Amino acid sequence: MTAAATELPAPPPLRDDTLRVYALGGLGEVGRNMTVLEYRGRLLIVDCGVFFPEEHHPGIDLILPDISLVTDRLDDIEAIVLTHGHEDHIGAVPYLLKRKPDIPLVGSTLTLALIEAKLKEHRIVPYTLAVREGQVEQLGVFECEFVAVNHSIPDALAVMVRTGAGTVLHTGDFKMDQLPLDGRLTDLRAFARLGEEGVDLFLTDSTNAEVPGFTMPERDIAPAIDKVFRHATGKIIVACFSSHVHRVQQVLDAAARAGRKVAFVGRSMIRNMTIASDLGYLKVPPGVLIDFKKVDSLRDDQIVLISTGSQGEPMAALSRMANGDHKIEVGPGDTVLLASSLIPGNENAVYRVINGLMRLGAHVVHKGNAKVHTSGHASAGELLYCYNIVKPKNVMPVHGEWRHLVANGELARQTGVPAERILTGESGTVVDLKKGVARITGAYPVGHIYVDGAALGDEHSEELLRDRRILRDEGFVTVIVLVDTAEGKVLAPPEIMTRGVAEKDVVFDPIVPRIEQAVVESMAKGNTDTYALQQVVRRTIGSWLGSKLRRRPMIIPIVIDA
Amino acid sequence: MTAAATELPAPPPLRDDTLRVYALGGLGEVGRNMTVLEYRGRLLIVDCGVFFPEEHHPGIDLILPDISLVTDRLDDIEAIVLTHGHEDHIGAVPYLLKRKPDIPLVGSTLTLALIEAKLKEHRIVPYTLAVREGQVEQLGVFECEFVAVNHSIPDALAVMVRTGAGTVLHTGDFKMDQLPLDGRLTDLRAFARLGEEGVDLFLTDSTNAEVPGFTMPERDIAPAIDKVFRHATGKIIVACFSSHVHRVQQVLDAAARAGRKVAFVGRSMIRNMTIASDLGYLKVPPGVLIDFKKVDSLRDDQIVLISTGSQGEPMAALSRMANGDHKIEVGPGDTVLLASSLIPGNENAVYRVINGLMRLGAHVVHKGNAKVHTSGHASAGELLYCYNIVKPKNVMPVHGEWRHLVANGELARQTGVPAERILTGESGTVVDLKKGVARITGAYPVGHIYVDGAALGDEHSEELLRDRRILRDEGFVTVIVLVDTAEGKVLAPPEIMTRGVAEKDVVFDPIVPRIEQAVVESMAKGNTDTYALQQVVRRTIGSWLGSKLRRRPMIIPIVIDA
């Protein structure tokens, strides 16, 4: 059962015998994950993350799930369950709590520590309930049982939700590393037990559903890291995600073996690793860690820097090093290790950093030339295990673009879930569960909420982005006309000013008298409203630009009655 | 020997015993390939291609090699040798010939046919010299021998250039498919013979130098294409590059075997395939090809469309099909085959198309889930063969970003070329060859020439792009102040107008009286120049925007003395 949300009607009123599930983000896109479970008038939210803007979102800092759909029902929200501490699962929490700071946050110790640090920047102290695997909590009408899963951040949880209308098992983001660094397995015994109890609706992570086989264990990248340490003669600079505690652990261990010292670089790296180390998730070998300020006192072959910027972010330390614009000078003999994925869309930025570092003489090791990264998500082979162990009645693929959701649904089908019991939808698509049968019954209109500096985007944001895209590609033309409407005169030749238009100013000379003439003629016809005269100016120059110059810049006519 | 062009001095005057080689594009970047060989005051140009803009080139159509460095020496240009017919090797020819249409173009039959079709759109009839493999031509002081190579377009050539100061072998773009569809091998016997004669400087394609092993033969993708044809129940839509004659050949052959009819979709696809078929490079099985207009008369399971748009270009047929905005309706049962590479930077656009097609119910096959594409460039293993067969005295890696050039140079080193005889440089880096020894002797300042609609960018283009980037991210604020400088009065409250700024108009209210006050005070100090008053306005609102709103939009102050 497949349905694009935009083609569906509004869902019917929710009856008390039915559990409703829908996403306000994260389906049909990678990021801004947020799922709502609704039962008997109460809402349980699972995750509340951000989406990182792409090139068609110019100037936008973040995109939020469409929290506007719950902001008139804030008192109905029982709790927000956070499955793990990644930005695409917790990043939008501050924007929801700004509207109601006492919505309880439920999650593991590390997850709560990370969101609390983030909320501190927004000056919000949240109500929290720390939970761990195996724990069962009654949250209003929702009974939640938490299950250990492993992922590219420690302490991730899946959640089983039991209600009077059925059960939902939500995996969160997960993989099934059978030899995890911290020994914390995805708890397939619990998945089996819950499956035997009966999982009516199974929400599963689709990110890697298109990838055949099995995700490589995290510890299998150790040899590639060790090789870097064996061959490096100068500084070693490692870039990875600032939440990837296990990756950092591997680098710390390699540094200890090689007798090098490690300093963290970048605000989020320092903050997260301090939290992870304080809580015992990161085990720093004695004497290995030093403050960045003390790096100067070491020889190059004693130094390891662990930095942010693995996605080529222009302001991050690594990009600035590549541009020769950072305190740390990179040169021949130095090795840079990008121990990270390459998120689609970031390729040009990342290759720009790699080229810049190589141009300075550095040796650059990345997933394109060495096994220095593995994913945090279950590949197709692992998902098949999951479906066979849980044997869910209904499946709703979550977390992914359409192609990922379809691939994940196809895996469920291969394990024997009937095609009509696989609910593939987009953000907004409503799945209603009743007596063990889940159906798509409609859709809510889920839009985008843009964060742009201090402003939170509303319905005008699409218009704003359209304006910015025109300005980006075509620039603008301002025409200023000073008129005396009483006399019907134009007081001075219209002035034309352009920015971002690929034409020299002189090109516009021929149109100036025509604009003047058009305005005079319009006034002669009794037109004395400056807004109407502005439209005359717009039409006159607009058609000329289109036909003569084949351009469509933004046109800003300004008529002043002086 | 590695040198970034920006750190090098101007090269010394060229002496008659020296052959000079430098690129005006294509080194340190993928695209706009153009190499200049200079000897005794004469220039031989090898290729003259375009670069396709990235996200930091908003609104730009094309980027050219820096032809400004040869436009004051047009009479010195002996000829332009075109190695093959791809846009990144021929696309800038019209812009050079516009300045001097009688520069001879030298290339293979297909290459010349493709550039002639392009020049026709620019209303230029070129002087051409068709050559084929094995042929030797004396072009002024340059003796050129042409060598067959295979690539992702037929009829590609390498060129050996002999001068009084030494020999240069330029591979163009190439790979070493040992079982090519058309039987035309990269002529390693010729490479061997030229190597025995002595290749002083070897310019080699770096594109795939980072890729280990060997590039898969084109014919090895046939099984994946056949599988698509076997399983498809509805229409088959194949997207690939419009110059990939052999890929299209494979689809035509598969269609013939399956009893389907093929129509071409997209202007460049139709044009190129007509040329290739007229010249005998494309062998259309009898009765297979039909006109697109006649597709309606066929059942879906009889239809194959071969279309452009494999890179997610928004205006191409495939993107419009994915948006439901094309005459061809894609739906369940239809299969779309993206038989193409995914050029870095295009990922988001391509995945958007794939998701759109899947959302409509189509089955989408692409290089991520099937072996439906192979590269046109030699991988590391093939380049090692080349170096061992040619045994060049000096090597200059060409065609690639810095990471590719370095990887290619490293391959040369592994085959025994001394490190100091490997000349790794950027566009502009000058390599001088004298008595069998090549050295980097300086660099020319190579800039970018932007094509933007009808306009050809000059030195102002960087400023234009800076403006567009600001407008894209921050928008602009226009402030209009009507003053009477004689009276020292502001005639009406300043008007503020914004576009692309993420703030509501009302936010600006507090600054209006302050602007008025600042202008009045400035006039009171005797300031009556409107330009100077505009700077007062700019400073007043600029510092307010920065400190209060933390924004940096473009500010356009307009002060009119009425």
Side-chain angles (χ1 to χ4, degrees):
Chain A
M1 195 168 172
T2 299
T6 45
E7 296 151 11
L8 294 168
L14 184 60
R15 290 169 41 162
D16 280 355
D17 60 355
T18 305
L19 172 66
R20 176 162 289 179
V21 180
Y22 51 94
L24 300 184
L27 271 64
E29 61 200 342
V30 173
R32 64 167 194 151
N33 296 294
M34 182 170 180
T35 309
V36 181
L37 278 67
E38 183 171 359
Y39 178 59
R40 293 191 172 242
R42 302 296 292 168
L43 308 177
L44 183 76
I45 291 174
V46 180
D47 292 330
C48 186
V50 293
F51 180 95
F52 294 99
E54 299 176 350
E55 68 281 7
H56 55 289
H57 306 124
I60 296 296
D61 301 316
L62 293 172
I63 300 176
L64 308 183
D66 194 349
I67 53 177
S68 73
L69 288 168
V70 293
T71 42
D72 58 344
R73 299 187 59 187
L74 294 174
D75 291 335
D76 297 339
I77 301 175
E78 197 63 51
I80 304 173
V81 171
L82 300 171
T83 59
H84 63 283
H86 279 153
E87 286 297 310
D88 56 337
H89 290 258
I90 66 169
V93 168
Y95 301 93
L96 193 53
L97 290 201
K98 264 178 204 164
R99 289 166 168 79
K100 187 168 194 286
D102 63 352
I103 302 172
L105 304 182
V106 183
S108 68
T109 307
L110 180 63
T111 305
L112 290 179
L114 291 170
I115 186 62
E116 280 168 328
K118 178 173 284 291
L119 286 166
K120 203 170 176 183
E121 292 171 14
H122 291 265
R123 295 180 198 173
I124 298 172
V125 180
Y127 288 71
T128 60
L129 170 64
V131 292
R132 45 172 296 133
E133 45 267 37
Q135 194 167 334
V136 179
E137 290 289 337
Q138 190 72 38
L139 303 169
V141 295
F142 307 98
E143 184 189 286
C144 296
E145 176 174 344
F146 299 92
V147 181
V149 293
N150 65 46
H151 184 40
S152 44
I153 188 169
D155 224 8
L157 293 168
V159 58
M160 171 78 156
V161 183
R162 299 183 184 92
T163 71
T167 58
V168 175
L169 176 57
H170 190 315
T171 64
D173 280 354
F174 81 116
K175 61 175 169 177
M176 286 164 37
D177 192 332
Q178 293 304 299
L179 297 166
L181 276 196
D182 61 0
R184 188 172 175 274
L185 292 156
T186 289
D187 189 354
L188 294 180
R189 289 169 63 165
F191 275 26
R193 176 175 50 76
L194 297 171
E196 293 201 347
E197 171 189 334
V199 170
D200 292 319
L201 181 61
F202 193 25
L203 275 59
T204 49
D205 175 10
S206 309
T207 313
N208 273 1
E210 282 190 317
V211 180
F214 294 79
T215 301
M216 183 172 73
E218 174 70 22
R219 67 173 68 221
D220 285 8
I221 69 171
I225 295 177
D226 277 337
K227 190 175 169 196
V228 165
F229 275 79
R230 252 191 337 269
H231 292 288
T233 56
K235 295 189 287 294
I236 297 175
I237 299 158
V238 180
C240 69
F241 287 112
S242 67
S243 58
H244 206 319
V245 176
H246 293 154
R247 193 63 47 84
V248 170
Q249 183 73 58
Q250 300 219 69
V251 177
L252 288 175
D253 294 345
R257 285 193 293 272
R260 287 182 181 245
K261 305 285 183 190
V262 177
F264 292 124
V265 185
R267 204 171 57 96
S268 63
M269 184 64 78
I270 294 168
R271 187 190 66 187
N272 291 353
M273 290 309 140
T274 304
I275 291 172
S277 157
D278 289 349
L279 295 175
Y281 296 97
L282 184 73
K283 291 171 180 60
V284 181
V288 161
L289 209 58
I290 58 159
D291 194 279
F292 178 68
K293 295 193 195 82
K294 297 200 179 133
V295 162
D296 285 343
S297 65
L298 298 173
R299 289 196 321 268
D300 273 7
D301 65 358
Q302 299 175 309
I303 299 174
V304 179
L305 302 172
I306 303 182
S307 162
T308 54
S310 67
Q311 297 305 307
E313 304 91 329
M315 289 302 136
L318 196 69
S319 288
R320 291 191 284 125
M321 290 178 204
N323 289 332
D325 186 27
H326 191 273
K327 185 172 173 280
I328 296 293
E329 277 181 35
V330 175
D334 293 337
T335 305
V336 178
L337 170 60
L338 283 115
S340 53
S341 65
L342 209 179
I343 295 174
N346 296 346
E347 288 79 2
N348 284 338
V350 171
Y351 289 133
R352 220 172 287 137
V353 169
I354 292 175
N355 285 317
L357 293 164
M358 290 182 73
R359 202 166 168 279
L360 295 170
H363 178 52
V364 182
V365 180
H366 54 95
K367 76 186 269 258
N369 58 22
K371 280 192 181 173
V372 291
H373 176 70
T374 183
S375 169
H377 300 273
S379 298
E382 290 151 85
L383 290 168
L384 290 174
Y385 270 79
C386 267
Y387 288 123
N388 284 327
I389 289 173
V390 174
K391 292 196 190 302
K393 294 203 187 75
N394 302 271
V395 169
M396 180 178 180
V398 294
H399 305 172
E401 298 171 14
W402 195 262
R403 61 194 173 106
H404 305 122
L405 304 177
V406 169
N408 194 2
E410 174 58 19
L411 294 171
R413 201 195 52 75
Q414 287 171 9
T415 64
V417 180
E420 64 276 18
R421 296 279 69 81
I422 298 165
L423 297 316
T424 308
E426 292 174 301
S427 298
T429 303
V430 169
V431 171
D432 281 341
L433 173 68
K434 185 180 152 183
K435 298 197 174 119
V437 176
R439 288 192 182 84
I440 291 175
T441 58
Y444 294 114
V446 164
H448 295 86
I449 296 191
Y450 299 103
V451 180
D452 188 334
L456 255 204
D458 50 13
E459 70 279 15
H460 300 303
S461 293
E462 295 293 347
E463 195 185 333
L464 175 78
L465 291 184
R466 214 162 36 235
D467 280 353
R468 285 183 181 169
R469 286 190 286 254
I470 295 171
L471 290 168
R472 168 188 75 186
D473 293 338
E474 299 273 1
F476 69 88
V477 174
T478 303
V479 187
I480 303 143
V481 191
L482 223 57
V483 296
D484 181 339
T485 51
E487 296 279 326
K489 275 186 191 165
V490 171
L491 299 177
E495 268 191 69
I496 292 180
M497 202 173 40
T498 76
R499 297 301 280 275
V501 179
E503 298 290 350
K504 301 203 173 41
D505 288 351
V506 66
V507 166
F508 295 89
D509 288 351
I511 191 64
V512 172
R514 285 209 246 163
I515 293 170
E516 179 165 354
Q517 188 191 342
V519 171
V520 168
E521 281 171 10
S522 183
M523 286 189 291
K525 286 180 196 149
N527 212 339
T528 58
D529 173 47
T530 55
Y531 178 78
L533 292 173
Q534 277 168 195
Q535 300 320 307
V536 170
V537 173
R538 180 194 302 280
R539 276 196 303 275
T540 309
I541 191 164
S543 66
W544 181 79
L545 283 165
S547 64
K548 288 283 170 189
L549 302 187
R550 308 227 165 266
R551 296 196 177 276
R552 302 256 173 262
M554 185 178 286
I555 299 169
I556 318 284
I558 302 174
V559 174
I560 301 174
D561 196 355
Chain B
M1 196 169 173
T2 300
T6 45
E7 295 150 12
L8 293 168
L14 184 60
R15 291 170 38 163
D16 280 356
D17 60 356
T18 305
L19 172 65
R20 176 163 287 179
V21 180
Y22 50 94
L24 299 184
L27 271 64
E29 60 201 343
V30 172
R32 64 167 193 151
N33 297 293
M34 181 171 180
T35 309
V36 181
L37 279 67
E38 183 171 359
Y39 178 59
R40 292 190 171 239
R42 301 298 292 170
L43 307 177
L44 183 76
I45 291 174
V46 179
D47 291 330
C48 186
V50 294
F51 179 94
F52 294 99
E54 298 175 352
E55 68 281 7
H56 55 290
H57 306 123
I60 297 295
D61 301 316
L62 292 172
I63 300 176
L64 309 183
D66 195 350
I67 54 176
S68 72
L69 289 166
V70 294
T71 42
D72 58 344
R73 298 186 61 187
L74 294 173
D75 291 335
D76 298 338
I77 300 175
E78 197 64 51
I80 304 173
V81 171
L82 301 171
T83 59
H84 63 283
H86 279 155
E87 286 297 309
D88 56 336
H89 290 258
I90 67 169
V93 167
Y95 301 93
L96 193 53
L97 291 201
K98 265 178 202 165
R99 290 167 168 80
K100 189 169 193 286
D102 63 353
I103 302 172
L105 303 182
V106 182
S108 68
T109 306
L110 179 63
T111 305
L112 290 180
L114 291 170
I115 185 63
E116 280 167 330
K118 177 172 283 292
L119 287 166
K120 204 170 175 181
E121 292 172 12
H122 291 264
R123 294 180 198 172
I124 297 172
V125 180
Y127 288 71
T128 60
L129 170 63
V131 293
R132 44 172 295 133
E133 45 266 39
Q135 194 167 333
V136 179
E137 289 290 336
Q138 190 72 38
L139 303 169
V141 295
F142 306 97
E143 186 189 285
C144 295
E145 177 173 344
F146 299 91
V147 181
V149 292
N150 64 45
H151 184 41
S152 43
I153 187 170
D155 224 7
L157 293 168
V159 58
M160 171 78 157
V161 183
R162 300 183 183 92
T163 71
T167 59
V168 174
L169 176 56
H170 191 316
T171 63
D173 279 354
F174 81 117
K175 62 175 169 178
M176 286 162 39
D177 192 332
Q178 294 304 297
L179 297 166
L181 276 196
D182 61 0
R184 187 172 175 275
L185 292 156
T186 289
D187 188 354
L188 294 180
R189 288 169 63 164
F191 276 26
R193 177 174 49 76
L194 296 172
E196 293 201 347
E197 171 190 333
V199 171
D200 292 319
L201 181 61
F202 192 26
L203 275 60
T204 49
D205 175 10
S206 308
T207 312
N208 272 2
E210 282 190 315
V211 180
F214 294 80
T215 302
M216 183 172 73
E218 173 70 20
R219 68 173 68 221
D220 285 8
I221 69 172
I225 295 178
D226 276 336
K227 189 175 169 196
V228 165
F229 275 78
R230 250 190 340 268
H231 292 287
T233 55
K235 295 188 289 293
I236 297 175
I237 299 159
V238 180
C240 69
F241 287 111
S242 67
S243 58
H244 207 318
V245 177
H246 292 154
R247 192 65 46 84
V248 170
Q249 183 74 57
Q250 300 218 68
V251 177
L252 289 175
D253 293 346
R257 286 193 292 271
R260 287 184 181 243
K261 305 284 183 190
V262 177
F264 293 122
V265 185
R267 204 171 57 95
S268 63
M269 184 64 78
I270 295 168
R271 186 190 67 187
N272 291 351
M273 290 309 140
T274 305
I275 291 172
S277 157
D278 288 350
L279 296 174
Y281 296 96
L282 184 73
K283 289 169 181 61
V284 181
V288 161
L289 210 58
I290 59 158
D291 194 280
F292 177 68
K293 293 191 197 85
K294 297 200 179 132
V295 163
D296 285 342
S297 65
L298 298 174
R299 288 196 322 270
D300 274 6
D301 65 358
Q302 300 176 308
I303 299 175
V304 179
L305 302 172
I306 303 182
S307 162
T308 54
S310 67
Q311 297 305 307
E313 304 90 330
M315 288 302 135
L318 196 69
S319 287
R320 289 190 287 124
M321 289 178 205
N323 289 333
D325 185 26
H326 190 274
K327 186 173 172 283
I328 296 295
E329 277 180 34
V330 174
D334 292 337
T335 304
V336 178
L337 171 60
L338 283 116
S340 53
S341 65
L342 210 179
I343 294 174
N346 295 347
E347 287 81 2
N348 284 338
V350 170
Y351 290 133
R352 221 171 287 139
V353 169
I354 292 175
N355 285 316
L357 293 165
M358 290 181 72
R359 203 166 167 280
L360 295 171
H363 178 52
V364 182
V365 180
H366 55 95
K367 77 187 268 261
N369 59 20
K371 279 193 183 175
V372 291
H373 176 70
T374 182
S375 169
H377 300 273
S379 297
E382 291 152 85
L383 290 168
L384 290 173
Y385 271 79
C386 266
Y387 288 125
N388 284 327
I389 289 173
V390 174
K391 292 195 189 303
K393 294 203 185 77
N394 304 270
V395 168
M396 181 178 180
V398 294
H399 306 172
E401 298 173 15
W402 196 263
R403 62 195 172 104
H404 304 122
L405 303 177
V406 168
N408 195 0
E410 174 59 18
L411 295 171
R413 200 195 54 73
Q414 286 170 9
T415 64
V417 181
E420 65 274 19
R421 296 280 69 79
I422 298 165
L423 297 316
T424 308
E426 292 173 299
S427 298
T429 303
V430 169
V431 171
D432 281 341
L433 174 68
K434 184 181 153 184
K435 298 198 172 115
V437 176
R439 286 193 183 83
I440 291 175
T441 59
Y444 295 113
V446 164
H448 295 85
I449 296 189
Y450 299 103
V451 180
D452 187 332
L456 254 204
D458 50 14
E459 70 278 13
H460 300 302
S461 294
E462 294 294 347
E463 194 184 334
L464 174 78
L465 290 184
R466 213 160 37 235
D467 280 354
R468 285 183 180 168
R469 286 189 287 253
I470 294 171
L471 290 169
R472 168 188 74 187
D473 293 337
E474 300 273 1
F476 70 88
V477 174
T478 303
V479 186
I480 304 142
V481 191
L482 223 58
V483 297
D484 181 339
T485 52
E487 296 278 327
K489 276 186 191 162
V490 170
L491 298 178
E495 269 192 67
I496 293 181
M497 201 174 41
T498 77
R499 297 300 280 274
V501 179
E503 298 290 350
K504 302 202 170 42
D505 288 351
V506 66
V507 167
F508 295 90
D509 288 351
I511 192 62
V512 171
R514 286 211 247 162
I515 294 171
E516 180 165 354
Q517 188 191 344
V519 172
V520 169
E521 281 171 11
S522 183
M523 286 190 291
K525 285 181 196 150
N527 212 340
T528 58
D529 174 47
T530 54
Y531 178 78
L533 291 173
Q534 278 168 193
Q535 300 320 307
V536 170
V537 173
R538 179 194 302 281
R539 275 196 304 274
T540 308
I541 191 164
S543 66
W544 181 80
L545 283 166
S547 64
K548 287 284 170 188
L549 301 187
R550 307 228 166 267
R551 297 196 176 276
R552 302 256 172 261
M554 185 178 288
I555 299 169
I556 318 283
I558 302 173
V559 174
I560 302 174
D561 196 355

